[in-house]
Structure formats: structure tokens, C-alpha cells
Amino acid sequence: MDRVKVGRVFQMFDRNRDGMITKEELSVSLEKLGVFISDKEITQIFESTDVNGDCFVDVDEFDILYQTTMKENNEEEDMLEAFNVFDQNKDGFITFEELSSVLSSLGLKQGRALEDCKKMITKVDADGDGKVNFIEFKQMMKGVGFAS
């Protein structure tokens, strides 16, 4: 997001327009947006954002927080989109057959044998139901990975 847009969002949080966001302004602004989080979480967010430790969040510090938040949201959306490619029947799970179908359509040899797909799913199937749900898929994408 460009600097002008970040500045506009910053102004929404800077309730007294002094160029700095206090912990209280952050809390009130989030509540007005319908985001209710505990005082402890507000303190954690605030302290991690207040890089220079002056007990205020300036526009530069806010920009870092905003960019990090947007990046996390985009990553989640990207993962959901990837998950949906494999979840062909849209039931919220990737089965052996769905994995095989997608891998085969991509021309990958791992998709040819259903037994190979069963092994891949077993490696990331944390709850042991024989399918991969979105949470398991996210964990896999963050590092566990399908084995070849």
C-alpha cells in the first residue's frame, strides 16, 4: 500500500490528531471497527509496534504493522486459493483421490499411484482422518510439506 493510503488509515487511529497513536487510541479504534481483543493482546500489539519504545506509535511504526498485517492476510487468502484447487468437491477436505487427480493433471508422477497419494496425505494428516483439512494444509505449506 502506498504511503498516502497508510497515512489515511493511520489518521483513523490517531483520534486526537497529534501524529501519534497511544495504546488507548489503538484500543478504541479497534473497538469502533468491531475488533474486540483483550487488554493483554492490545499491550502485546502495541509494544511490538512501538519500535523506538517511546510509548507511542508513529506513522512509520504503524506502516510496518499495517504491511505485516496485510501480508499475513494475503498469505491466508493465497493458501485458501491453493487449498481450493485440491479440494475439488469443495467439502473442506483433500482426499487421496483429489490429490491424485490434481497431481496427474499437472503431469506429476506422484499423482499416478493412489498409494503414493495416501502416503503423502498420511504425512500431514494430523488428526488421522485420512484427509487433509485446511489447518493441516496450512501447516504443510509452512514447512511440513508433502513428501515426493
Side-chain angles (χ1 to χ4, degrees), residues 47-148:
E47 288 175 355
S48 68
T49 304
D50 180 21
V51 178
N52 64 9
D54 66 356
C55 297
F56 297 99
V57 172
D58 61 31
V59 71
D60 293 327
E61 291 166 329
F62 184 81
D63 186 27
I64 294 167
L65 171 67
Y66 192 81
Q67 297 301 331
T68 301
T69 302
M70 295 309 294
K71 182 180 178 203
E72 288 171 4
N73 287 342
N74 288 339
E75 286 175 6
E76 182 86 4
E77 288 172 18
D78 290 346
M79 278 196 220
L80 183 56
E81 192 174 316
F83 179 82
N84 286 332
V85 168
F86 287 93
D87 181 18
Q88 295 177 323
N89 67 358
K90 307 301 179 219
D91 67 350
F93 299 97
I94 300 169
T95 63
F96 310 126
E97 296 82 10
E98 288 171 324
L99 178 61
S100 177
S101 173
V102 172
L103 293 179
S104 292
S105 71
L106 294 172
L108 299 174
K109 66 178 178 135
Q110 292 93 339
R112 292 189 194 132
L114 197 56
E115 195 57 40
D116 290 342
C117 293
K118 286 182 180 179
K119 287 177 186 174
M120 286 184 235
I121 285 190
T122 301
K123 289 186 181 226
V124 296
D125 180 19
D127 62 9
D129 66 356
K131 304 178 271 192
V132 175
N133 63 34
F134 184 59
I135 293 168
E136 293 164 336
F137 183 81
K138 284 193 309 187
Q139 290 171 337
M140 175 200 69
M141 294 298 283
K142 289 182 177 179
V144 175
F146 277 140
S148 307

